[in-house]
PDB file of all heavy atoms in Angstrom:
ATOM      1  N   GLY U1406     -13.041 -18.378   1.200  1.00  0.00           N
ATOM      2  CA  GLY U1406     -14.256 -17.783   1.726  1.00  0.00           C
ATOM      3  C   GLY U1406     -13.999 -16.606   2.616  1.00  0.00           C
ATOM      4  O   GLY U1406     -14.660 -15.564   2.500  1.00  0.00           O
ATOM      5  N   ALA U1407     -13.037 -16.755   3.505  1.00  0.00           N
ATOM      6  CA  ALA U1407     -12.658 -15.676   4.406  1.00  0.00           C
ATOM      7  C   ALA U1407     -12.029 -14.472   3.589  1.00  0.00           C
ATOM      8  O   ALA U1407     -12.327 -13.322   3.902  1.00  0.00           O
ATOM      9  CB  ALA U1407     -11.658 -16.146   5.460  1.00  0.00           C
ATOM     10  N   PHE U1408     -11.281 -14.843   2.575  1.00  0.00           N
ATOM     11  CA  PHE U1408     -10.652 -13.767   1.795  1.00  0.00           C
ATOM     12  C   PHE U1408     -11.713 -12.979   1.053  1.00  0.00           C
ATOM     13  O   PHE U1408     -11.685 -11.735   1.040  1.00  0.00           O
ATOM     14  CB  PHE U1408      -9.725 -14.446   0.752  1.00  0.00           C
ATOM     15  CG  PHE U1408      -9.207 -13.488  -0.327  1.00  0.00           C
ATOM     16  CD1 PHE U1408      -8.246 -12.514  -0.047  1.00  0.00           C
ATOM     17  CD2 PHE U1408      -9.735 -13.538  -1.621  1.00  0.00           C
ATOM     18  CE1 PHE U1408      -7.791 -11.671  -0.987  1.00  0.00           C
ATOM     19  CE2 PHE U1408      -9.259 -12.674  -2.600  1.00  0.00           C
ATOM     20  CZ  PHE U1408      -8.303 -11.737  -2.263  1.00  0.00           C
ATOM     21  N   PHE U1409     -12.685 -13.610   0.398  1.00  0.00           N
ATOM     22  CA  PHE U1409     -13.723 -12.886  -0.332  1.00  0.00           C
ATOM     23  C   PHE U1409     -14.610 -12.093   0.581  1.00  0.00           C
ATOM     24  O   PHE U1409     -15.111 -11.024   0.241  1.00  0.00           O
ATOM     25  CB  PHE U1409     -14.521 -13.852  -1.182  1.00  0.00           C
ATOM     26  CG  PHE U1409     -13.786 -14.347  -2.354  1.00  0.00           C
ATOM     27  CD1 PHE U1409     -13.503 -15.677  -2.519  1.00  0.00           C
ATOM     28  CD2 PHE U1409     -13.369 -13.500  -3.405  1.00  0.00           C
ATOM     29  CE1 PHE U1409     -12.824 -16.177  -3.614  1.00  0.00           C
ATOM     30  CE2 PHE U1409     -12.732 -13.975  -4.508  1.00  0.00           C
ATOM     31  CZ  PHE U1409     -12.404 -15.313  -4.623  1.00  0.00           C
ATOM     32  N   HIS U1410     -14.791 -12.588   1.805  1.00  0.00           N
ATOM     33  CA  HIS U1410     -15.563 -11.832   2.810  1.00  0.00           C
ATOM     34  C   HIS U1410     -14.811 -10.591   3.200  1.00  0.00           C
ATOM     35  O   HIS U1410     -15.379  -9.453   3.392  1.00  0.00           O
ATOM     36  CB  HIS U1410     -15.866 -12.699   4.037  1.00  0.00           C
ATOM     37  CG  HIS U1410     -16.543 -11.941   5.115  1.00  0.00           C
ATOM     38  ND1 HIS U1410     -17.892 -11.553   5.024  1.00  0.00           N
ATOM     39  CD2 HIS U1410     -16.125 -11.504   6.331  1.00  0.00           C
ATOM     40  CE1 HIS U1410     -18.219 -10.939   6.119  1.00  0.00           C
ATOM     41  NE2 HIS U1410     -17.187 -10.891   6.930  1.00  0.00           N
ATOM     42  N   MET U1411     -13.452 -10.742   3.388  1.00  0.00           N
ATOM     43  CA  MET U1411     -12.617  -9.602   3.823  1.00  0.00           C
ATOM     44  C   MET U1411     -12.607  -8.471   2.774  1.00  0.00           C
ATOM     45  O   MET U1411     -12.784  -7.301   3.072  1.00  0.00           O
ATOM     46  CB  MET U1411     -11.181 -10.039   4.037  1.00  0.00           C
ATOM     47  CG  MET U1411     -10.968 -10.846   5.314  1.00  0.00           C
ATOM     48  SD  MET U1411      -9.307 -11.470   5.465  1.00  0.00           S
ATOM     49  CE  MET U1411      -8.364  -9.968   5.264  1.00  0.00           C
ATOM     50  N   ILE U1412     -12.453  -8.810   1.502  1.00  0.00           N
ATOM     51  CA  ILE U1412     -12.302  -7.810   0.452  1.00  0.00           C
ATOM     52  C   ILE U1412     -13.673  -7.054   0.204  1.00  0.00           C
ATOM     53  O   ILE U1412     -13.655  -6.036  -0.530  1.00  0.00           O
ATOM     54  CB  ILE U1412     -11.729  -8.350  -0.863  1.00  0.00           C
ATOM     55  CG1 ILE U1412     -12.704  -9.401  -1.444  1.00  0.00           C
ATOM     56  CG2 ILE U1412     -10.349  -8.918  -0.627  1.00  0.00           C
ATOM     57  CD1 ILE U1412     -12.241  -9.963  -2.782  1.00  0.00           C
ATOM     58  N   GLN U1413     -14.733  -7.571   0.747  1.00  0.00           N
ATOM     59  CA  GLN U1413     -15.992  -6.910   0.606  1.00  0.00           C
ATOM     60  C   GLN U1413     -16.226  -5.854   1.717  1.00  0.00           C
ATOM     61  O   GLN U1413     -17.229  -5.121   1.668  1.00  0.00           O
ATOM     62  CB  GLN U1413     -17.170  -7.928   0.592  1.00  0.00           C
ATOM     63  CG  GLN U1413     -17.127  -8.846  -0.589  1.00  0.00           C
ATOM     64  CD  GLN U1413     -18.193  -9.939  -0.472  1.00  0.00           C
ATOM     65  OE1 GLN U1413     -19.071  -9.889   0.392  1.00  0.00           O
ATOM     66  NE2 GLN U1413     -18.110 -10.913  -1.333  1.00  0.00           N
ATOM     67  N   GLN U1414     -15.322  -5.827   2.677  1.00  0.00           N
ATOM     68  CA  GLN U1414     -15.462  -4.895   3.791  1.00  0.00           C
ATOM     69  C   GLN U1414     -14.723  -3.583   3.434  1.00  0.00           C
ATOM     70  O   GLN U1414     -13.518  -3.564   3.171  1.00  0.00           O
ATOM     71  CB  GLN U1414     -14.863  -5.481   5.106  1.00  0.00           C
ATOM     72  CG  GLN U1414     -15.398  -6.893   5.407  1.00  0.00           C
ATOM     73  CD  GLN U1414     -16.893  -6.900   5.567  1.00  0.00           C
ATOM     74  OE1 GLN U1414     -17.476  -6.043   6.189  1.00  0.00           O
ATOM     75  NE2 GLN U1414     -17.509  -7.944   5.029  1.00  0.00           N
ATOM     76  N   PRO U1415     -15.458  -2.420   3.468  1.00  0.00           N
ATOM     77  CA  PRO U1415     -14.796  -1.171   3.105  1.00  0.00           C
ATOM     78  C   PRO U1415     -13.611  -0.828   3.995  1.00  0.00           C
ATOM     79  O   PRO U1415     -12.622  -0.217   3.519  1.00  0.00           O
ATOM     80  CB  PRO U1415     -15.927  -0.159   3.233  1.00  0.00           C
ATOM     81  CG  PRO U1415     -17.181  -0.977   3.063  1.00  0.00           C
ATOM     82  CD  PRO U1415     -16.872  -2.284   3.703  1.00  0.00           C
ATOM     83  N   TYR U1416     -13.711  -1.155   5.296  1.00  0.00           N
ATOM     84  CA  TYR U1416     -12.630  -0.737   6.196  1.00  0.00           C
ATOM     85  C   TYR U1416     -11.328  -1.440   5.859  1.00  0.00           C
ATOM     86  O   TYR U1416     -10.231  -0.916   6.181  1.00  0.00           O
ATOM     87  CB  TYR U1416     -13.048  -0.971   7.652  1.00  0.00           C
ATOM     88  CG  TYR U1416     -12.875  -2.409   8.141  1.00  0.00           C
ATOM     89  CD1 TYR U1416     -11.678  -2.796   8.756  1.00  0.00           C
ATOM     90  CD2 TYR U1416     -13.891  -3.350   7.915  1.00  0.00           C
ATOM     91  CE1 TYR U1416     -11.532  -4.133   9.217  1.00  0.00           C
ATOM     92  CE2 TYR U1416     -13.731  -4.653   8.394  1.00  0.00           C
ATOM     93  CZ  TYR U1416     -12.559  -5.019   9.041  1.00  0.00           C
ATOM     94  OH  TYR U1416     -12.418  -6.300   9.419  1.00  0.00           O
ATOM     95  N   ILE U1417     -11.384  -2.643   5.259  1.00  0.00           N
ATOM     96  CA  ILE U1417     -10.146  -3.330   4.859  1.00  0.00           C
ATOM     97  C   ILE U1417      -9.392  -2.476   3.884  1.00  0.00           C
ATOM     98  O   ILE U1417      -8.141  -2.335   3.976  1.00  0.00           O
ATOM     99  CB  ILE U1417     -10.487  -4.688   4.323  1.00  0.00           C
ATOM    100  CG1 ILE U1417     -11.071  -5.644   5.343  1.00  0.00           C
ATOM    101  CG2 ILE U1417      -9.238  -5.360   3.677  1.00  0.00           C
ATOM    102  CD1 ILE U1417     -10.104  -6.023   6.440  1.00  0.00           C
ATOM    103  N   TRP U1418     -10.102  -1.934   2.930  1.00  0.00           N
ATOM    104  CA  TRP U1418      -9.421  -1.089   1.900  1.00  0.00           C
ATOM    105  C   TRP U1418      -9.047   0.278   2.413  1.00  0.00           C
ATOM    106  O   TRP U1418      -8.004   0.796   2.155  1.00  0.00           O
ATOM    107  CB  TRP U1418     -10.319  -0.969   0.648  1.00  0.00           C
ATOM    108  CG  TRP U1418     -10.637  -2.281   0.061  1.00  0.00           C
ATOM    109  CD1 TRP U1418     -11.732  -3.070   0.251  1.00  0.00           C
ATOM    110  CD2 TRP U1418      -9.804  -3.019  -0.878  1.00  0.00           C
ATOM    111  NE1 TRP U1418     -11.638  -4.232  -0.473  1.00  0.00           N
ATOM    112  CE2 TRP U1418     -10.500  -4.254  -1.179  1.00  0.00           C
ATOM    113  CE3 TRP U1418      -8.588  -2.755  -1.466  1.00  0.00           C
ATOM    114  CZ2 TRP U1418      -9.955  -5.146  -2.039  1.00  0.00           C
ATOM    115  CZ3 TRP U1418      -8.078  -3.690  -2.321  1.00  0.00           C
ATOM    116  CH2 TRP U1418      -8.734  -4.880  -2.615  1.00  0.00           C
ATOM    117  N   GLN U1419      -9.984   0.914   3.126  1.00  0.00           N
ATOM    118  CA  GLN U1419      -9.755   2.285   3.556  1.00  0.00           C
ATOM    119  C   GLN U1419      -8.744   2.403   4.693  1.00  0.00           C
ATOM    120  O   GLN U1419      -7.966   3.370   4.741  1.00  0.00           O
ATOM    121  CB  GLN U1419     -11.088   2.873   4.043  1.00  0.00           C
ATOM    122  CG  GLN U1419     -12.106   2.936   2.897  1.00  0.00           C
ATOM    123  CD  GLN U1419     -13.506   3.348   3.417  1.00  0.00           C
ATOM    124  OE1 GLN U1419     -13.713   3.551   4.642  1.00  0.00           O
ATOM    125  NE2 GLN U1419     -14.500   3.382   2.529  1.00  0.00           N
ATOM    126  N   LEU U1420      -8.705   1.429   5.579  1.00  0.00           N
ATOM    127  CA  LEU U1420      -7.825   1.516   6.743  1.00  0.00           C
ATOM    128  C   LEU U1420      -6.547   0.742   6.586  1.00  0.00           C
ATOM    129  O   LEU U1420      -5.505   1.298   6.851  1.00  0.00           O
ATOM    130  CB  LEU U1420      -8.645   0.973   7.997  1.00  0.00           C
ATOM    131  CG  LEU U1420      -7.892   1.098   9.321  1.00  0.00           C
ATOM    132  CD1 LEU U1420      -7.667   2.609   9.681  1.00  0.00           C
ATOM    133  CD2 LEU U1420      -8.669   0.391  10.418  1.00  0.00           C
ATOM    134  N   HIS U1421      -6.621  -0.435   6.095  1.00  0.00           N
ATOM    135  CA  HIS U1421      -5.420  -1.349   6.080  1.00  0.00           C
ATOM    136  C   HIS U1421      -4.718  -1.335   4.732  1.00  0.00           C
ATOM    137  O   HIS U1421      -3.520  -1.076   4.728  1.00  0.00           O
ATOM    138  CB  HIS U1421      -5.826  -2.763   6.459  1.00  0.00           C
ATOM    139  CG  HIS U1421      -6.403  -2.873   7.886  1.00  0.00           C
ATOM    140  ND1 HIS U1421      -5.669  -2.559   8.984  1.00  0.00           N
ATOM    141  CD2 HIS U1421      -7.629  -3.236   8.323  1.00  0.00           C
ATOM    142  CE1 HIS U1421      -6.411  -2.704  10.075  1.00  0.00           C
ATOM    143  NE2 HIS U1421      -7.589  -3.137   9.699  1.00  0.00           N
ATOM    144  N   VAL U1422      -5.425  -1.642   3.654  1.00  0.00           N
ATOM    145  CA  VAL U1422      -4.742  -1.674   2.369  1.00  0.00           C
ATOM    146  C   VAL U1422      -4.186  -0.334   1.977  1.00  0.00           C
ATOM    147  O   VAL U1422      -3.070  -0.229   1.541  1.00  0.00           O
ATOM    148  CB  VAL U1422      -5.702  -2.193   1.298  1.00  0.00           C
ATOM    149  CG1 VAL U1422      -5.073  -2.149  -0.104  1.00  0.00           C
ATOM    150  CG2 VAL U1422      -6.120  -3.648   1.614  1.00  0.00           C
ATOM    151  N   TRP U1423      -4.984   0.731   2.195  1.00  0.00           N
ATOM    152  CA  TRP U1423      -4.560   2.056   1.808  1.00  0.00           C
ATOM    153  C   TRP U1423      -3.328   2.465   2.638  1.00  0.00           C
ATOM    154  O   TRP U1423      -2.398   3.056   2.099  1.00  0.00           O
ATOM    155  CB  TRP U1423      -5.684   3.045   2.046  1.00  0.00           C
ATOM    156  CG  TRP U1423      -5.287   4.487   1.762  1.00  0.00           C
ATOM    157  CD1 TRP U1423      -5.157   5.475   2.672  1.00  0.00           C
ATOM    158  CD2 TRP U1423      -4.995   5.067   0.476  1.00  0.00           C
ATOM    159  NE1 TRP U1423      -4.799   6.656   2.019  1.00  0.00           N
ATOM    160  CE2 TRP U1423      -4.667   6.423   0.676  1.00  0.00           C
ATOM    161  CE3 TRP U1423      -4.933   4.547  -0.815  1.00  0.00           C
ATOM    162  CZ2 TRP U1423      -4.303   7.259  -0.354  1.00  0.00           C
ATOM    163  CZ3 TRP U1423      -4.593   5.412  -1.876  1.00  0.00           C
ATOM    164  CH2 TRP U1423      -4.293   6.760  -1.604  1.00  0.00           C
ATOM    165  N   THR U1424      -3.297   2.165   3.922  1.00  0.00           N
ATOM    166  CA  THR U1424      -2.167   2.528   4.789  1.00  0.00           C
ATOM    167  C   THR U1424      -0.908   1.842   4.304  1.00  0.00           C
ATOM    168  O   THR U1424       0.156   2.450   4.138  1.00  0.00           O
ATOM    169  CB  THR U1424      -2.439   2.161   6.230  1.00  0.00           C
ATOM    170  OG1 THR U1424      -3.579   2.902   6.692  1.00  0.00           O
ATOM    171  CG2 THR U1424      -1.250   2.536   7.111  1.00  0.00           C
ATOM    172  N   THR U1425      -0.975   0.541   4.073  1.00  0.00           N
ATOM    173  CA  THR U1425       0.176  -0.201   3.611  1.00  0.00           C
ATOM    174  C   THR U1425       0.646   0.318   2.208  1.00  0.00           C
ATOM    175  O   THR U1425       1.839   0.397   1.969  1.00  0.00           O
ATOM    176  CB  THR U1425      -0.131  -1.700   3.528  1.00  0.00           C
ATOM    177  OG1 THR U1425      -0.519  -2.144   4.846  1.00  0.00           O
ATOM    178  CG2 THR U1425       1.051  -2.497   3.007  1.00  0.00           C
ATOM    179  N   LEU U1426      -0.287   0.644   1.360  1.00  0.00           N
ATOM    180  CA  LEU U1426       0.051   1.107  -0.009  1.00  0.00           C
ATOM    181  C   LEU U1426       0.764   2.446   0.072  1.00  0.00           C
ATOM    182  O   LEU U1426       1.758   2.672  -0.593  1.00  0.00           O
ATOM    183  CB  LEU U1426      -1.224   1.173  -0.844  1.00  0.00           C
ATOM    184  CG  LEU U1426      -1.043   1.497  -2.326  1.00  0.00           C
ATOM    185  CD1 LEU U1426      -0.222   0.352  -3.002  1.00  0.00           C
ATOM    186  CD2 LEU U1426      -2.362   1.649  -3.001  1.00  0.00           C
ATOM    187  N   VAL U1427       0.259   3.360   0.934  1.00  0.00           N
ATOM    188  CA  VAL U1427       0.894   4.678   1.042  1.00  0.00           C
ATOM    189  C   VAL U1427       2.324   4.511   1.641  1.00  0.00           C
ATOM    190  O   VAL U1427       3.284   5.151   1.121  1.00  0.00           O
ATOM    191  CB  VAL U1427       0.052   5.560   1.972  1.00  0.00           C
ATOM    192  CG1 VAL U1427       0.826   6.853   2.321  1.00  0.00           C
ATOM    193  CG2 VAL U1427      -1.276   5.942   1.233  1.00  0.00           C
ATOM    194  N   GLU U1428       2.501   3.715   2.658  1.00  0.00           N
ATOM    195  CA  GLU U1428       3.789   3.511   3.237  1.00  0.00           C
ATOM    196  C   GLU U1428       4.747   2.871   2.188  1.00  0.00           C
ATOM    197  O   GLU U1428       5.952   3.279   2.167  1.00  0.00           O
ATOM    198  CB  GLU U1428       3.685   2.569   4.435  1.00  0.00           C
ATOM    199  CG  GLU U1428       2.906   3.153   5.629  1.00  0.00           C
ATOM    200  CD  GLU U1428       2.525   2.150   6.684  1.00  0.00           C
ATOM    201  OE1 GLU U1428       2.716   0.942   6.408  1.00  0.00           O
ATOM    202  OE2 GLU U1428       2.018   2.532   7.736  1.00  0.00           O
ATOM    203  N   THR U1429       4.261   1.905   1.486  1.00  0.00           N
ATOM    204  CA  THR U1429       5.111   1.239   0.474  1.00  0.00           C
ATOM    205  C   THR U1429       5.557   2.206  -0.627  1.00  0.00           C
ATOM    206  O   THR U1429       6.738   2.247  -0.943  1.00  0.00           O
ATOM    207  CB  THR U1429       4.384   0.067  -0.115  1.00  0.00           C
ATOM    208  OG1 THR U1429       4.030  -0.884   0.892  1.00  0.00           O
ATOM    209  CG2 THR U1429       5.221  -0.645  -1.165  1.00  0.00           C
ATOM    210  N   ILE U1430       4.634   2.957  -1.179  1.00  0.00           N
ATOM    211  CA  ILE U1430       4.950   3.830  -2.285  1.00  0.00           C
ATOM    212  C   ILE U1430       5.843   4.994  -1.860  1.00  0.00           C
ATOM    213  O   ILE U1430       6.828   5.315  -2.524  1.00  0.00           O
ATOM    214  CB  ILE U1430       3.661   4.367  -2.937  1.00  0.00           C
ATOM    215  CG1 ILE U1430       2.952   3.178  -3.656  1.00  0.00           C
ATOM    216  CG2 ILE U1430       3.964   5.451  -3.983  1.00  0.00           C
ATOM    217  CD1 ILE U1430       1.638   3.541  -4.264  1.00  0.00           C
ATOM    218  N   LEU U1431       5.520   5.594  -0.727  1.00  0.00           N
ATOM    219  CA  LEU U1431       6.384   6.676  -0.253  1.00  0.00           C
ATOM    220  C   LEU U1431       7.809   6.180   0.119  1.00  0.00           C
ATOM    221  O   LEU U1431       8.766   6.826  -0.223  1.00  0.00           O
ATOM    222  CB  LEU U1431       5.734   7.362   0.934  1.00  0.00           C
ATOM    223  CG  LEU U1431       4.453   8.178   0.679  1.00  0.00           C
ATOM    224  CD1 LEU U1431       3.933   8.799   1.939  1.00  0.00           C
ATOM    225  CD2 LEU U1431       4.705   9.267  -0.380  1.00  0.00           C
ATOM    226  N   GLY U1432       7.825   5.033   0.760  1.00  0.00           N
ATOM    227  CA  GLY U1432       9.140   4.470   1.075  1.00  0.00           C
ATOM    228  C   GLY U1432       9.929   4.138  -0.179  1.00  0.00           C
ATOM    229  O   GLY U1432      11.128   4.378  -0.240  1.00  0.00           O
ATOM    230  N   PHE U1433       9.234   3.575  -1.198  1.00  0.00           N
ATOM    231  CA  PHE U1433       9.878   3.276  -2.405  1.00  0.00           C
ATOM    232  C   PHE U1433      10.422   4.490  -3.116  1.00  0.00           C
ATOM    233  O   PHE U1433      11.531   4.530  -3.671  1.00  0.00           O
ATOM    234  CB  PHE U1433       8.943   2.506  -3.368  1.00  0.00           C
ATOM    235  CG  PHE U1433       9.494   2.311  -4.754  1.00  0.00           C
ATOM    236  CD1 PHE U1433      10.429   1.333  -5.015  1.00  0.00           C
ATOM    237  CD2 PHE U1433       9.060   3.141  -5.775  1.00  0.00           C
ATOM    238  CE1 PHE U1433      10.938   1.193  -6.294  1.00  0.00           C
ATOM    239  CE2 PHE U1433       9.550   2.980  -7.038  1.00  0.00           C
ATOM    240  CZ  PHE U1433      10.493   1.992  -7.321  1.00  0.00           C
ATOM    241  N   ILE U1434       9.621   5.562  -3.156  1.00  0.00           N
ATOM    242  CA  ILE U1434      10.057   6.822  -3.815  1.00  0.00           C
ATOM    243  C   ILE U1434      11.319   7.362  -3.192  1.00  0.00           C
ATOM    244  O   ILE U1434      12.268   7.762  -3.868  1.00  0.00           O
ATOM    245  CB  ILE U1434       8.913   7.851  -3.783  1.00  0.00           C
ATOM    246  CG1 ILE U1434       7.760   7.395  -4.741  1.00  0.00           C
ATOM    247  CG2 ILE U1434       9.400   9.215  -4.270  1.00  0.00           C
ATOM    248  CD1 ILE U1434       6.517   8.290  -4.628  1.00  0.00           C
ATOM    249  N   ILE U1435      11.332   7.389  -1.836  1.00  0.00           N
ATOM    250  CA  ILE U1435      12.523   7.886  -1.128  1.00  0.00           C
ATOM    251  C   ILE U1435      13.699   7.007  -1.426  1.00  0.00           C
ATOM    252  O   ILE U1435      14.846   7.454  -1.761  1.00  0.00           O
ATOM    253  CB  ILE U1435      12.233   8.003   0.369  1.00  0.00           C
ATOM    254  CG1 ILE U1435      11.183   9.038   0.659  1.00  0.00           C
ATOM    255  CG2 ILE U1435      13.555   8.335   1.103  1.00  0.00           C
ATOM    256  CD1 ILE U1435      10.709   9.056   2.114  1.00  0.00           C
ATOM    257  N   GLY U1436      13.513   5.692  -1.319  1.00  0.00           N
ATOM    258  CA  GLY U1436      14.620   4.739  -1.614  1.00  0.00           C
ATOM    259  C   GLY U1436      15.078   4.825  -3.039  1.00  0.00           C
ATOM    260  O   GLY U1436      16.290   4.685  -3.362  1.00  0.00           O
ATOM    261  N   PHE U1437      14.156   5.048  -3.956  1.00  0.00           N
ATOM    262  CA  PHE U1437      14.458   5.118  -5.373  1.00  0.00           C
ATOM    263  C   PHE U1437      15.321   6.353  -5.681  1.00  0.00           C
ATOM    264  O   PHE U1437      16.367   6.277  -6.330  1.00  0.00           O
ATOM    265  CB  PHE U1437      13.220   5.195  -6.206  1.00  0.00           C
ATOM    266  CG  PHE U1437      13.428   5.317  -7.698  1.00  0.00           C
ATOM    267  CD1 PHE U1437      13.700   4.141  -8.428  1.00  0.00           C
ATOM    268  CD2 PHE U1437      13.436   6.506  -8.319  1.00  0.00           C
ATOM    269  CE1 PHE U1437      13.883   4.215  -9.831  1.00  0.00           C
ATOM    270  CE2 PHE U1437      13.674   6.576  -9.725  1.00  0.00           C
ATOM    271  CZ  PHE U1437      13.874   5.435 -10.444  1.00  0.00           C
ATOM    272  N   LEU U1438      14.944   7.535  -5.152  1.00  0.00           N
ATOM    273  CA  LEU U1438      15.674   8.756  -5.384  1.00  0.00           C
ATOM    274  C   LEU U1438      17.057   8.670  -4.798  1.00  0.00           C
ATOM    275  O   LEU U1438      18.076   9.032  -5.427  1.00  0.00           O
ATOM    276  CB  LEU U1438      14.899   9.968  -4.840  1.00  0.00           C
ATOM    277  CG  LEU U1438      13.585  10.233  -5.453  1.00  0.00           C
ATOM    278  CD1 LEU U1438      12.881  11.426  -4.784  1.00  0.00           C
ATOM    279  CD2 LEU U1438      13.784  10.607  -6.943  1.00  0.00           C
ATOM    280  N   LEU U1439      17.153   8.172  -3.552  1.00  0.00           N
ATOM    281  CA  LEU U1439      18.479   8.038  -2.920  1.00  0.00           C
ATOM    282  C   LEU U1439      19.317   6.987  -3.620  1.00  0.00           C
ATOM    283  O   LEU U1439      20.533   7.159  -3.795  1.00  0.00           O
ATOM    284  CB  LEU U1439      18.316   7.682  -1.439  1.00  0.00           C
ATOM    285  CG  LEU U1439      17.657   8.777  -0.559  1.00  0.00           C
ATOM    286  CD1 LEU U1439      17.482   8.215   0.881  1.00  0.00           C
ATOM    287  CD2 LEU U1439      18.463  10.031  -0.564  1.00  0.00           C
ATOM    288  N   GLY U1440      18.712   5.866  -4.038  1.00  0.00           N
ATOM    289  CA  GLY U1440      19.457   4.812  -4.643  1.00  0.00           C
ATOM    290  C   GLY U1440      19.972   5.200  -6.039  1.00  0.00           C
ATOM    291  O   GLY U1440      21.122   4.893  -6.332  1.00  0.00           O
ATOM    292  N   VAL U1441      19.136   5.835  -6.825  1.00  0.00           N
ATOM    293  CA  VAL U1441      19.558   6.249  -8.176  1.00  0.00           C
ATOM    294  C   VAL U1441      20.664   7.302  -8.069  1.00  0.00           C
ATOM    295  O   VAL U1441      21.684   7.239  -8.783  1.00  0.00           O
ATOM    296  CB  VAL U1441      18.383   6.743  -8.992  1.00  0.00           C
ATOM    297  CG1 VAL U1441      18.868   7.428 -10.286  1.00  0.00           C
ATOM    298  CG2 VAL U1441      17.457   5.610  -9.323  1.00  0.00           C
ATOM    299  N   THR U1442      20.483   8.290  -7.209  1.00  0.00           N
ATOM    300  CA  THR U1442      21.489   9.355  -7.043  1.00  0.00           C
ATOM    301  C   THR U1442      22.780   8.774  -6.510  1.00  0.00           C
ATOM    302  O   THR U1442      23.868   9.040  -7.099  1.00  0.00           O
ATOM    303  CB  THR U1442      20.992  10.430  -6.073  1.00  0.00           C
ATOM    304  OG1 THR U1442      19.736  10.950  -6.547  1.00  0.00           O
ATOM    305  CG2 THR U1442      22.011  11.517  -5.942  1.00  0.00           C
ATOM    306  N   GLY U1443      22.760   7.985  -5.460  1.00  0.00           N
ATOM    307  CA  GLY U1443      23.953   7.378  -4.936  1.00  0.00           C
ATOM    308  C   GLY U1443      24.596   6.399  -5.892  1.00  0.00           C
ATOM    309  O   GLY U1443      25.847   6.351  -6.039  1.00  0.00           O
ATOM    310  N   GLY U1444      23.783   5.613  -6.596  1.00  0.00           N
ATOM    311  CA  GLY U1444      24.327   4.638  -7.520  1.00  0.00           C
ATOM    312  C   GLY U1444      25.014   5.319  -8.706  1.00  0.00           C
ATOM    313  O   GLY U1444      26.056   4.858  -9.186  1.00  0.00           O
ATOM    314  N   TYR U1445      24.433   6.396  -9.159  1.00  0.00           N
ATOM    315  CA  TYR U1445      25.041   7.145 -10.296  1.00  0.00           C
ATOM    316  C   TYR U1445      26.395   7.728  -9.871  1.00  0.00           C
ATOM    317  O   TYR U1445      27.383   7.607 -10.618  1.00  0.00           O
ATOM    318  CB  TYR U1445      24.104   8.241 -10.757  1.00  0.00           C
ATOM    319  CG  TYR U1445      24.710   9.074 -11.887  1.00  0.00           C
ATOM    320  CD1 TYR U1445      24.619   8.659 -13.196  1.00  0.00           C
ATOM    321  CD2 TYR U1445      25.323  10.303 -11.624  1.00  0.00           C
ATOM    322  CE1 TYR U1445      25.167   9.401 -14.207  1.00  0.00           C
ATOM    323  CE2 TYR U1445      25.859  11.043 -12.628  1.00  0.00           C
ATOM    324  CZ  TYR U1445      25.786  10.605 -13.947  1.00  0.00           C
ATOM    325  OH  TYR U1445      26.361  11.347 -14.949  1.00  0.00           O
TER     326      TYR U1445
END
């Protein structure tokens, strides 16, 4: 019940989910480029 209430709140997506998603993807891209280059 708390989960479904949370995901209906716009600020959860705009403030929290979006921030974590941006940090994760940008961090992954940097780690991917460095990892593939160094591993090769």
Side-chain angles (χ1 to χ4, degrees):
F1408 169 76
F1409 287 116
H1410 177 72
M1411 286 175 54
I1412 62 176
Q1413 295 174 10
Q1414 308 302 316
Y1416 80 94
I1417 294 293
W1418 298 96
Q1419 298 170 2
L1420 185 65
H1421 297 298
V1422 175
W1423 176 251
T1424 299
T1425 300
L1426 189 62
V1427 169
E1428 294 167 351
T1429 299
I1430 292 178
L1431 291 180
F1433 171 77
I1434 291 174
I1435 295 173
F1437 180 84
L1438 294 177
L1439 294 176
V1441 170
T1442 303
Y1445 178 82

